[in-house]
Amino acid sequence: MERTAFTATFTGMMSAFLIWAVHFAAIYGINGLICAREWDGADLYGHPVAVVLILGATAVALLLAAGVLAAALWGAAPGRRTSEDPRRFIRLFTGLAAAGSLVAILWNGLPALQVPACG
Amino acid sequence: MTPPLDDAALPNRLPRPKEELEALKRAWKPTSGLGLLKEVNNNIIGVMYIATALLFFVISGTLALVMRTQLAVPENDVLGHSLYNQFFTVHGTGMMFLFAVPIVEAIGVFLLPSMLAARDLPFPRLSAFAFWAYLFGGLAFFCSLIFEVAPDGGWFMYPPLTSMKFSPGINADFWLLGIGFIEISAIAGAIEIIVGILRTRPPGMTLDKIPVYCWSMLVMAGMIVFAFPAVIIATALLEIERAFDWPFFIAERGGDPLLWQHLFWFFGHPEVYIIFLPAAGLVSMMVPALAQRPLVGHDWVVVALVGTGFFSFGLWVHHMFATGIPPLSLSFFSAASMAVSVPAGIQVFAWIATLGKGRLQWTVATWFLLGFLFIFVAGGLTGVMVAVIPFDWQAHDSYFVVAHLHYVLIGGMVFPVFAGLYHWWPTMKGTMLSERLGRWAFWMMFIGFNVAFFPMHVSGLMGMPRRVYTYPGDLGWNVLNMVSTVGAFVMAFGVLLVLIDMARDAFGRGRPAPENPWKAGTLEWIPNDDYATRSIPHVRSLYPLWDNPNLSREVQEGAHYLPGAPTRRRETIVTSPIEARPQYLMPMPGPHWSHFLAGLFTAAHFICLAVQLYWVSLVPGVLAIASVFWWVWSLDKGADHPPQDVGGGWRVPVYLQGSENHSWWGTAVLLLVDGTAFACLCFTYVFLWTVSPDVWPVGTDSLPGLGWLFGEVALWIVAAGAMLLASRAVAGNRSWAMRGLLLAGVLLMLAAAVAEPYNRIASGLVASESAYGAIVYMLASWQVFHVVILVLMTGFTLARSFAGRLHARRRVTFDNVMLVWLYTCGQGIVSLLLVHLFPRLAV
Ligand code: HEM
Ligand SMILES: [Cu+2]
């Protein structure tokens, strides 16, 4: 049985939640800045700049969280090198957290399709 | 180290020698009489802490009753306008800061060691200090009411109402200084709880076998680390604005009152979950015990707890729906507010499923739990309603919100806490509260609560605004208000019954409890004493007492780990955070005057500041610092004993240096707090720029030259280098080199910290002129503040070195200072890059 590095394992378990947090901060920051600077008239690839940036950030975050989920499901989860018992739990935890974060990221990003950026 | 034991064998052979228990008893003998003030044992501090929190609950509740009396009939004049404002502010503040958060921490301090079967948590003196600071600070805060100088700006203290212009008296200062420093006590508690849960678990309690309550406390403490710095920074900014006229929140000079709301609610919303999650954790422990079966979906509940902890940080703007924030931004928060009910829902289903599957014991706790479920679900539903923005615009600042917040807070935390009081009371000294009185109390509280608060939904929808001291009689609110008031008194009577019940027990009228009266499965039900359990059990599952019916007996006979006090002093086993293997034997500090005096003087210092006795405040300030030095001087004992056998084939050292040491972990958590506070200042800088770019400099003429930037950054880098060299000098036992490097380093830091404000003054920037000046000087002052602390810490390190208490094999103190030092250098550099480059790059 090998010793595990706590920081790496713990960060791995929290990674999906952290991705959610960074995504949330990013979309709020992007929109806040766009409205404060009155850039909401600008277009990017033919769509309002806020929508493009926010959906882009959402897509990136979804991909990352999906990566964590896949890693948890197919074995490369943090804690691979721990003793048997906590390892099962760590993988389950990471997977559930990733699944939850995926939904939360999507749910947070979707309003960009409907609601006007600055009003 | 030797391999762990195989499954069948017990860690230690029976029977144990007689002297062993004697030694254990002697080491943990509590002090009596006045010595109670010196005590650090969490068993004792925990009880005093809980009692104090209940006292503050009663005081805040009494204020609520007076308010309800005032509102019972229209045009009443029990309380005047200004006194009513003070009452609701002190009530709200008292309930949130002086009752709810402290009591969940206090319960943790009391319950965690026994749930983890640790002799004590890792920093007993720190929690004792936190307790005394809280007690004295809290008492002073309530006393402000007597002199009618209590704060009156609401528990959220919105500027500009609380700015100098509209609150010229010292009322607001009482809140800012009084509460600001009690936050520090909450953070101290959080550090204790985090390191305790991660490092003082019993051998075998791997990550997957941690009781749910401990998870909830871990999440709660983690949230304190990331939420409280925001309110501390907010209070500091407002206090500085009031004292020195630096315009952070004054719109005419580029400040913005919304900055306060962002910082306050970034703390304030998570605060609600900081209060609720520990209560949910208590519920998740009581439900299995009462239903006599394991919690359904345990792993899911753990993820839900952690998830709630994270997601609740994405909600703060839902308190600001009516402030004119862009619609898309609002909808992020609306979405997140609805999403956060999902993990709460998971927990509710897990409890209901567990209750449904098991055979329920009908105790007082069961009733309170059912009451909790009912009220909390109702409060959750109105929560989803106010998360819908158009509804919120209608209900905002009406009594509907008062009803919602009390449903969530009283349902979500007061009821579980009262359930917990009845449930865990027997673990205190082996007596039980009265089932009969308890049941009466429950029904009075439950019925009283609903009678008091349900009608408020209606009066709110009928248009009754919050925070009004009276109302005219022709608006149709009269009956509803009278009913509310009657309900409030009925509920208060229920609380009184509980107090009477506890008093009966205190005077020796409690029934003796059988061992493990509810037949629960977790470690806190093993009979314990001042030294906690006789030996520290080896854990193999989530409910060790159910899986091994002999465990309690084995532990009491000393068959498990650390059955005695091998070094003749208070100590506990420190284990690794994931796999919970024994790592070393930690000596624990015993009774002492220092932390008590530190708490007393800290409180005195802040009270002097609040009443504007600035010069006088220096006296307790210096005394507080001196007490802290006295306190920490005796810590870091070094390996003064050979490795000890704790059982199960584990022979562990009594001292470990570097990143394995518990105090290193404590310092690391403290730096997370510090880093969050700094991030809040950086946020302040950028936020103020987005709202008022007009006060930022255009062009580089009014900025200090880049030479200043490079010079100061270089100073920080060299200072950090000096520390790294000093660390190598310690390793090589080259004491004089180490001392020289520390001294040189600290002088470099002083130079760097002073250079920044100096060059700003030279380039003509005035802090009180604009929000830009204010935040630039604020960041510089923050850095100076850190260097002042490092000057003290360096002096302390040097003193230890001269006393022969610091060398290559005993360097924990040094390593902790190094951590703070390197952090400060990094922070200094980031801060400089921000303030020097941002105006040059911003468009
Ligand atoms: C004994 C039961 C209680 C009663 C009768 C009660 C009553 C009241 C009343 C009348 C107000 C003022 C409403 C207004 O004028 O706008 C109020 C406000 C408030 N209460 Fe309570 N309360 C009780 C318990 C609690 C508890 C247990 C908590 C928190 C843990 C709490 C937290 C608050 C807060 C945060 C406010 C808002 C204060 C403000 O607007 O600044 N209350 N309560
Ligand atoms: Cu909220």
Side-chain angles (χ1 to χ4, degrees):
Chain A
M1 275 190 272
E2 287 164 81
R3 298 257 298 276
T4 21
F6 170 75
T7 319
T9 310
F10 210 66
T11 318
M13 288 170 70
M14 301 300 154
S15 54
F17 289 134
L18 291 170
I19 294 169
W20 169 84
V22 172
H23 170 257
F24 193 86
I27 58 176
Y28 180 62
I30 291 171
N31 202 60
L33 205 59
I34 286 175
C35 298
R37 289 282 79 85
E38 295 176 6
W39 291 329
D40 54 321
D43 275 7
L44 212 60
Y45 310 117
H47 299 280
V49 54
V51 175
V52 175
L53 289 179
I54 289 169
L55 290 184
T58 306
V60 173
L62 285 175
L63 278 176
L64 290 173
V68 177
L69 180 61
L73 288 177
W74 289 292
R80 209 179 60 194
R81 288 158 48 234
T82 57
S83 66
E84 199 44 41
D85 244 352
R87 186 166 96 195
R88 214 203 95 260
F89 172 77
I90 289 167
R91 282 179 57 177
L92 180 70
F93 184 104
T94 315
L96 282 177
S101 300
L102 269 174
V103 180
I105 292 169
L106 193 66
W107 182 245
N108 279 154
L110 281 183
L113 289 176
Q114 285 201 338
V115 182
C118 306
Chain B
M1 279 181 233
T2 37
L5 81 167
D6 68 82
D7 262 19
L10 290 173
N12 273 306
R13 211 173 309 226
L14 292 177
R16 306 304 305 163
K18 245 203 154 64
E19 320 78 76
E20 213 175 51
L21 184 59
E22 299 294 303
L24 196 55
K25 279 195 172 141
R26 213 164 324 115
W28 288 89
K29 193 170 153 24
T31 45
S32 51
L34 211 59
L36 209 57
L37 305 182
K38 303 195 297 185
E39 195 45 78
V40 292
N41 191 335
N42 277 346
N43 263 328
I44 297 165
I45 296 291
V47 173
M48 297 200 291
Y49 211 154
I50 295 175
T52 307
L54 285 176
L55 171 71
F56 291 167
F57 172 66
V58 171
I59 298 178
S60 312
T62 310
L63 298 178
L65 291 182
V66 182
M67 283 193 286
R68 272 317 327 167
T69 310
Q70 158 71 19
L71 295 174
V73 290
E75 324 246 7
N76 204 356
D77 56 5
V78 176
L79 285 177
H81 183 180
S82 109
L83 208 53
Y84 186 86
N85 288 353
Q86 298 186 22
F87 268 52
F88 76 64
T89 304
V90 175
H91 164 73
T93 311
M95 284 295 187
M96 300 298 272
F97 290 106
L98 296 172
F99 160 65
V101 175
I103 201 166
V104 294
E105 282 199 339
I107 294 176
V109 163
F110 175 73
L111 219 46
L112 283 174
S114 59
M115 243 178 229
L116 300 172
R119 298 236 176 275
D120 210 332
L121 296 180
F123 309 110
R125 255 184 222 165
L126 188 65
S127 14
F129 163 78
F131 165 69
W132 290 113
Y134 157 67
L135 174 68
F136 294 126
L139 286 177
F141 180 72
F142 284 117
C143 284
S144 67
L145 261 183
I146 304 174
F147 305 104
E148 291 204 35
V149 292
D152 50 7
W155 85 282
F156 36 75
M157 293 285 291
Y158 285 166
L161 197 60
T162 50
S163 299
M164 210 50 180
K165 189 163 170 200
F166 298 105
S167 290
I170 65 169
N171 308 49
D173 302 298
F174 246 102
W175 195 99
L176 295 168
L177 291 157
I179 295 305
F181 111 85
I182 285 168
E183 307 307 273
I184 292 167
S185 126
I187 288 175
I191 293 175
E192 165 90 317
I193 287 167
I194 292 179
V195 183
I197 294 172
L198 291 176
R199 301 301 300 284
T200 58
R201 301 207 301 272
M205 188 186 273
T206 48
L207 212 54
D208 54 319
K209 301 191 188 75
I210 302 182
V212 198
Y213 174 67
C214 303
W215 275 109
S216 75
M217 290 304 285
L218 193 58
V219 176
M220 172 264 194
M223 292 177 71
I224 287 188
V225 164
F226 293 107
F228 274 48
V231 73
I232 291 180
I233 289 298
T235 21
L237 295 182
L238 185 50
E239 187 56 34
I240 288 170
E241 177 182 294
R242 293 174 53 85
F244 307 116
D245 195 30
W246 293 12
F248 295 104
F249 307 106
I250 301 174
E252 300 89 78
R253 282 180 274 162
D256 190 350
L258 273 196
L259 169 64
W260 170 273
Q261 294 206 22
H262 278 295
L263 290 174
F264 184 86
W265 290 116
F266 185 77
F267 142 83
H269 188 84
E271 157 97 340
V272 180
Y273 287 86
I274 288 172
I275 295 169
F276 168 64
L277 290 184
L282 290 174
V283 173
S284 290
M285 299 297 281
M286 283 185 275
V287 162
L290 295 170
Q292 291 291 297
R293 73 176 311 293
L295 184 66
V296 173
H298 169 270
D299 294 347
W300 286 66
V301 171
V302 172
V303 181
L305 283 170
V306 180
T308 314
F310 273 90
F311 295 153
S312 64
F313 278 93
L315 309 186
W316 79 93
V317 168
H318 72 201
H319 296 270
M320 303 163 65
F321 278 162
T323 57
I325 284 173
L328 182 53
S329 304
L330 290 187
S331 53
F332 299 147
F333 289 89
S334 176
S337 303
M338 292 174 203
V340 82
S341 56
V342 174
I346 291 179
Q347 295 182 68
V348 172
F349 284 122
W351 296 324
I352 293 177
T354 314
L355 289 174
K357 276 193 166 179
R359 220 197 290 103
L360 206 52
Q361 314 181 46
W362 287 95
T363 69
V364 175
T366 318
W367 283 108
F368 272 103
L369 286 182
L370 293 180
F372 148 73
L373 274 177
F374 178 84
I375 299 174
F376 179 69
V377 169
L381 293 178
T382 52
V384 176
M385 289 165 76
V386 285
V388 177
I389 297 168
F391 184 88
D392 182 74
W393 285 341
Q394 295 305 314
H396 193 85
D397 269 344
S398 78
Y399 258 76
F400 189 87
V401 172
V402 180
H404 159 69
L405 82 95
H406 285 89
Y407 263 77
V408 191
L409 287 168
I410 297 184
M413 85 87 55
V414 177
F415 273 68
V417 162
F418 275 71
L421 273 179
Y422 273 84
H423 188 78
W424 276 286
W425 192 268
T427 65
M428 195 165 65
K429 51 188 184 56
T431 51
M432 284 163 97
L433 293 177
S434 155
E435 288 286 308
R436 224 166 48 120
L437 269 181
R439 235 163 270 205
W440 274 96
F442 164 74
W443 283 110
M444 311 278 299
M445 283 175 70
F446 183 76
I447 295 172
F449 170 81
N450 283 295
V451 172
F453 289 96
F454 188 79
M456 291 186 195
H457 292 109
V458 185
S459 54
L461 291 178
M462 287 170 68
M464 177 157 166
R466 283 172 82 173
R467 295 178 218 115
V468 287
Y469 76 106
T470 190
Y471 50 92
D474 55 0
L475 296 172
W477 306 340
N478 302 7
V479 179
L480 291 168
N481 273 300
M482 179 50 98
V483 171
S484 280
T485 302
V486 172
F489 276 90
V490 174
M491 173 173 174
F493 196 73
V495 176
L496 186 66
L497 283 185
V498 177
L499 296 178
I500 292 174
D501 201 0
M502 295 198 290
R504 277 184 67 228
D505 186 88
F507 290 114
R509 304 281 302 279
R511 278 175 302 142
E515 179 180 327
N516 195 355
W518 330 115
K519 304 197 173 26
T522 39
L523 299 180
E524 75 274 20
W525 295 100
I526 300 175
N528 60 30
D529 209 313
D530 293 312
Y531 48 79
T533 53
R534 168 66 201 281
S535 56
I536 296 178
H538 187 92
V539 172
R540 292 169 210 281
S541 72
L542 269 171
Y543 301 94
L545 293 187
W546 287 347
D547 295 330
N548 176 5
N550 294 326
L551 186 64
S552 182
R553 187 88 338 162
E554 290 168 14
V555 166
Q556 290 179 66
E557 283 169 7
H560 283 256
Y561 298 95
L562 196 68
T567 69
R568 309 274 146 198
R569 61 185 172 205
R570 299 185 178 188
E571 59 210 343
T572 196
I573 302 176
V574 175
T575 50
S576 65
I578 291 187
E579 290 151 321
R581 296 149 187 266
Q583 288 183 317
Y584 66 104
L585 204 58
M586 163 171 58
M588 315 216 94
H592 209 248
W593 282 109
S594 57
H595 63 270
F596 170 76
L597 292 176
L600 183 66
F601 291 134
T602 312
H605 172 72
F606 278 94
I607 293 159
C608 287
L609 285 181
V611 297
Q612 298 178 341
L613 294 172
Y614 298 119
W615 289 106
V616 181
S617 80
L618 287 179
V619 178
V622 170
L623 287 173
I625 294 173
S627 314
V628 171
F629 280 148
W630 183 24
W631 152 9
V632 290
W633 184 257
S634 62
L635 306 179
D636 187 9
K637 291 183 189 306
D640 51 358
H641 290 263
Q644 303 289 329
D645 188 355
V646 296
W650 291 98
R651 178 173 279 281
V652 294
V654 296
Y655 186 74
L656 222 49
Q657 331 209 77
S659 61
E660 310 256 39
N661 188 281
H662 61 282
S663 69
W664 193 91
W665 282 56
T667 312
V669 178
L670 183 63
L671 289 181
L672 286 178
V673 175
D674 207 8
T676 311
F678 176 62
C680 291
L681 285 177
C682 295
F683 167 80
T684 300
Y685 182 99
V686 178
F687 179 84
L688 289 175
W689 168 76
T690 58
V691 292
S692 354
D694 43 303
V695 300
W696 253 250
V698 274
T700 52
D701 293 348
S702 51
L703 286 170
L706 282 176
W708 280 106
L709 171 63
F710 295 136
E712 290 170 32
V713 168
L715 281 174
W716 288 114
I717 294 177
V718 179
M723 180 37 118
L724 293 174
L725 287 178
S727 167
R728 292 178 57 179
V730 177
N733 269 333
R734 282 176 282 120
S735 300
W736 281 107
M738 181 261 286
R739 292 166 194 159
L741 283 163
L742 280 187
L743 210 58
V746 94
L747 289 176
L748 288 171
M749 286 206 274
L750 266 177
V754 174
E756 176 61 14
Y758 172 78
N759 85 54
R760 295 294 178 162
I761 295 170
S763 62
L765 187 64
V766 180
S768 57
E769 242 163 39
S770 73
Y772 170 71
I775 182 61
V776 167
Y777 280 106
M778 183 65 206
L779 279 160
S781 319
W782 183 251
Q783 203 59 21
V784 172
F785 168 66
H786 277 72
V787 173
V788 169
I789 290 178
L790 274 166
V791 168
L792 293 172
M793 288 174 94
T794 307
F796 181 76
T797 315
L798 291 176
R800 283 186 78 86
S801 167
F802 284 114
R805 290 170 179 237
L806 174 62
H807 46 78
R809 321 212 115 265
R810 185 180 179 186
R811 51 175 293 171
V812 163
T813 303
F814 182 89
D815 287 340
N816 291 336
V817 175
M818 175 156 85
L819 218 51
V820 179
W821 181 303
L822 295 179
Y823 167 82
T824 303
C825 293
Q827 176 181 277
I829 293 171
V830 175
S831 166
L832 286 173
L833 293 178
L834 177 70
V835 295
H836 284 262
L837 296 186
F838 189 88
R840 291 184 157 88
L841 300 176
V843 278

